[in-house]
Amino acid sequence: MPKKRHQFKYSKPPSVAPASLSLSSPSQTASQPEHHDRSVNELLANLRRSTLTSQTSPSSSSFSAATTPSVPPTLRHILQLPEPPALVPRRPQRRDLHGRRLPPGPPPPRSWISLSQSRHATSSLGLVQDGASRHIRHWPLPGVYAPAEGSMVDMILRRIALDWAQQREWNRFYLYALPSRLRSALLAHVSEIYEQGLSLADLRLVLSGPSEGELAEYGVEPIDVNTLNSDVVYLDLTSSLGKSLGLKELYEFLFGSKKTSTAANDIVQDSWDIPAPMAGPVQVLPNLTHLSLAIDPGSTSSVSWKHLLSLAGKLTQLTQLSLAGWPEPSLTPNAKFAKVVSPTTGRSVQYGGTGPYSHNLDGDWTEAILVLKRLSRLLYGLEYLDLTGCGDWIHALREKSDGEFRVDLVDWAGDWSKITTLRLNSGYALADASSRTEVLRFADWVDEAVAVERHIRAQRAGRGRWIVVERDALSETARAVAERERLANVLV
């Protein structure tokens, strides 16, 4: 069949408007050709001229005065011309406290600024002579996951840490289900940002979930702690230890209480097919290798080296440890000023192993060396050790003590031969208004760190790994001030 062909009345749209849309007024029709003769540029120029002539504000007058040609002052005086109007001052530039220009646009909200500020992010802290500063700078352990500063994950974790009092109640059934690296980062943020610090209940909630009673009440299946924390290798308790958490509580949480633990040999099995029970409770973090026990200077009296040695006996797999801010090694720190009367001689003797003048006058570092030696034998797999803020007792790292038929010292070529990075920073920074005494003390810390590095390298002498000691840098001006103070002390 032949195809039907439709013939359209119009092949293209008409280029001229229909007569019905034309203006009916004869006056407007007569003036229309004249209107179309003016171009767009002419219309814009006419609009600018009308706008400038109609405005009478100071800004328009200054604009017109700036566009008029200027006359030199000498010719203006000869021709007796009036003085030109003063220019409108420019808008002042927005600058921050350090004099740097701010980016264009409105300032950021206060909530963004508060989220980006951290208690331990400041690198320029004032040096305090008596060591009573509230905070010192802490360095994170290398090789652990940390969200990039300012990223979405970092902002969310900081927001949760700031509202931790509410978040731990609202999301108590979801926090333990987060990925392992996010849980480790969350604990680090809460320990650093939350004012009250990280408590034992917070640790138990994030690492092992709610109690079995709560899970049964809401019909949630019990949690297998071995599977839940099998890939958790990092635990950061910076600034919380000694404030809201103790080493004894941490030991009981990770390994169970010694009083309640039951030996496996005392349990009689009903059948040979039943697997043998584990000795003691299940370890919460069986693969923990990175541990930060850094404290603030105000918490030195709340930590115990005795408890640390007990905890180190269970964490022999540690490779990175931070003891920043810890006091001098001593098993009896409260007996430093105590004395007892000997029943045989009748004389008063020092009760503890370290007295108030043991280091300064007697040069006796025996107790500190013994404690560090015991710690090195327990943590023989360490590769990184952070002793930031411990400048007052790092001399014990290179000192020797005469024992019974032996010489006690920290063995850097044997027990701690795997350590490749030793951080001995002060945790403070010299300010412009620092006194000479503060500069001298800071210089003593730097020189002692250099001496420790030389001692370790000389003791290893090619038998161990190469070690790098991270320490502070001393400027030439501070070095000159310290040398003058030492010379003055010698002359006096």
Side-chain angles (χ1 to χ4, degrees), residues 459-481:
Q459 188 183 97
R460 290 183 177 180
R463 292 181 297 171
R465 302 179 183 179
W466 182 261
I467 190 170
V468 176
V469 177
E470 301 288 346
R471 58 182 181 273
D472 298 316
L474 195 63
S475 61
E476 296 295 335
T477 305
R479 175 68 65 182
V481 173

Side-chain angles (χ1 to χ4, degrees), residues 247-263 279-281 306-314 374:
L247 279 177
K248 186 176 181 181
E249 296 176 341
L250 180 62
Y251 180 91
E252 293 178 355
F253 168 67
L254 294 178
F255 308 104
S257 177
K258 297 180 180 179
K259 297 180 181 180
T260 58
S261 61
T262 305
K306 183 179 180 180
H307 294 160
L308 177 62
L309 294 176
S310 301
L311 182 65
K314 296 287 187 176
R374 290 179 57 184

Side-chain angles (χ1 to χ4, degrees), residues 120-125 135-139 324 386 388-389 426-428:
H120 307 299
T122 306
S123 59
S124 57
L125 299 174
H135 301 293
I136 62 175
R137 182 181 179 184
H138 298 298
W139 278 264
D386 187 356
T388 299
S426 63
Y428 305 97

Side-chain angles (χ1 to χ4, degrees), residues 162-287:
L162 289 173
D163 299 335
W164 182 244
Q166 298 178 353
Q167 295 293 337
R168 63 186 174 188
E169 297 297 333
W170 294 347
N171 300 319
R172 60 186 303 103
F173 291 96
Y174 304 99
L175 292 175
Y176 70 93
L178 292 174
S180 298
R181 63 175 190 172
L182 289 182
R183 285 188 292 151
S184 298
L186 176 61
L187 291 176
H189 279 73
V190 173
S191 181
E192 176 187 358
I193 299 176
Y194 189 53
E195 188 67 26
Q196 282 73 20
L198 195 67
S199 64
L200 181 62
D202 300 334
L203 269 179
R204 183 176 286 107
L205 179 64
V206 177
L207 295 178
S208 60
S211 62
E212 296 181 359
E214 292 183 89
L215 295 177
E217 181 181 358
Y218 292 95
V220 183
E221 297 182 359
I223 305 169
D224 186 5
V225 180
N226 288 332
T227 307
L228 181 65
N229 300 324
S230 59
D231 53 349
V232 176
V233 298
Y234 172 47
L235 181 60
D236 189 351
L237 303 177
T238 301
S239 302
S240 292
L241 196 66
K243 180 174 63 175
S244 58
L245 182 66
L247 279 177
K248 186 176 181 181
E249 296 176 341
L250 180 62
Y251 180 91
E252 293 178 355
F253 168 67
L254 294 178
F255 308 104
S257 177
K258 297 180 180 179
K259 297 180 181 180
T260 58
S261 61
T262 305
N265 298 331
D266 298 339
I267 301 177
V268 180
Q269 300 296 328
D270 297 334
S271 174
W272 292 100
D273 299 333
I274 300 178
M278 298 180 60
V282 178
Q283 294 186 12
V284 179
L285 300 176
N287 300 320

Side-chain angles (χ1 to χ4, degrees), residues 210-396:
S211 62
E212 296 181 359
E214 292 183 89
L215 295 177
E217 181 181 358
Y218 292 95
V220 183
E221 297 182 359
I223 305 169
D224 186 5
V225 180
N226 288 332
T227 307
L228 181 65
N229 300 324
S230 59
D231 53 349
V232 176
V233 298
Y234 172 47
L235 181 60
D236 189 351
L237 303 177
T238 301
S239 302
S240 292
L241 196 66
K243 180 174 63 175
S244 58
L245 182 66
L247 279 177
K248 186 176 181 181
E249 296 176 341
L250 180 62
Y251 180 91
E252 293 178 355
F253 168 67
L254 294 178
F255 308 104
S257 177
K258 297 180 180 179
K259 297 180 181 180
T260 58
S261 61
T262 305
N265 298 331
D266 298 339
I267 301 177
V268 180
Q269 300 296 328
D270 297 334
S271 174
W272 292 100
D273 299 333
I274 300 178
M278 298 180 60
V282 178
Q283 294 186 12
V284 179
L285 300 176
N287 300 320
L288 182 64
T289 57
H290 299 64
L291 179 61
S292 176
L293 301 177
I295 64 174
D296 292 326
S299 304
T300 54
S301 59
S302 303
V303 294
S304 171
W305 283 90
K306 183 179 180 180
H307 294 160
L308 177 62
L309 294 176
S310 301
L311 182 65
K314 296 287 187 176
L315 296 175
T316 56
Q317 74 278 8
L318 284 182
T319 58
Q320 298 188 13
L321 176 65
S322 175
L323 297 178
W326 273 64
E328 59 178 312
S330 177
L331 299 178
T332 55
N334 298 329
K336 188 173 184 178
F337 298 94
K339 291 185 178 182
V340 295
V341 178
S342 176
T344 56
T345 61
R347 298 180 181 179
S348 60
V349 294
Q350 183 68 36
Y351 178 76
T354 302
Y357 307 106
S358 298
H359 304 330
N360 298 333
L361 300 181
D362 303 334
D364 184 11
W365 295 88
T366 303
E367 185 180 16
I369 294 174
L370 292 177
V371 174
L372 292 175
K373 186 176 180 180
R374 290 179 57 184
L375 184 65
S376 64
R377 289 183 175 180
L378 295 173
L379 302 179
Y380 51 84
L382 281 183
E383 300 176 2
Y384 175 91
L385 181 60
D386 187 356
L387 297 178
T388 299
C390 304
D392 293 334
W393 57 266
I394 59 176
H395 182 77

